[in-house]
Amino acid sequence: MLNMDFSQRVVVHTREQEWQPSPAAGVERKPLAREEAERGHATSIVRYKPGSSFKRHEHPLGEEILVLSGEFCDEHGRYPEGTWMRSPHLSQHHPFVDQETVIWVRAGHLPLPAGA
């Protein structure tokens, strides 16, 4: 687990983080919060090198993406810099890029605290 205590303030200086490889060639990330390796809640900055893609996959708990630079693409459309999208629980997609693209992504919508 990484930064998953939501009762604590966390500050991450992403410019100082090293890019880490992902399971897909040409796709790197800087993890900000992660519940488990490759499943559950995860918040990251992700960099796609030109022409790279991620295999088709499901997001059982949904996903949010903010395109920071470049153009993020999947079979549903093309999303230029500044685009924010939220996909519902059980959504699937096959992401790819033509040019270098950097996104902020949160996989797994956070549940509301009890009593909220």
Side-chain angles (χ1 to χ4, degrees), residues 51-93:
S52 62
S53 66
F54 221 99
K55 67 180 182 175
R56 183 172 183 77
H57 59 279
E58 181 178 82
H59 291 283
L61 301 174
E63 178 184 55
E64 288 180 74
I65 293 173
L66 174 62
V67 182
L68 301 175
S69 66
E71 183 181 60
F72 181 79
C73 309
D74 65 15
E75 70 272 29
H76 306 293
R78 300 178 82 83
Y79 313 100
E81 179 177 325
T83 304
W84 174 78
M85 73 183 96
R86 181 177 60 213
S87 299
H89 298 304
L90 303 176
S91 59
Q92 297 182 17
H93 68 152

Side-chain angles (χ1 to χ4, degrees), residues 15-35:
R15 290 184 180 176
E16 297 171 10
Q17 283 181 293
E18 296 291 323
W19 288 103
Q20 298 178 10
S22 80
V27 181
E28 301 170 313
R29 56 190 171 196
K30 294 183 178 188
L32 304 174
R34 181 167 287 282
E35 188 174 9

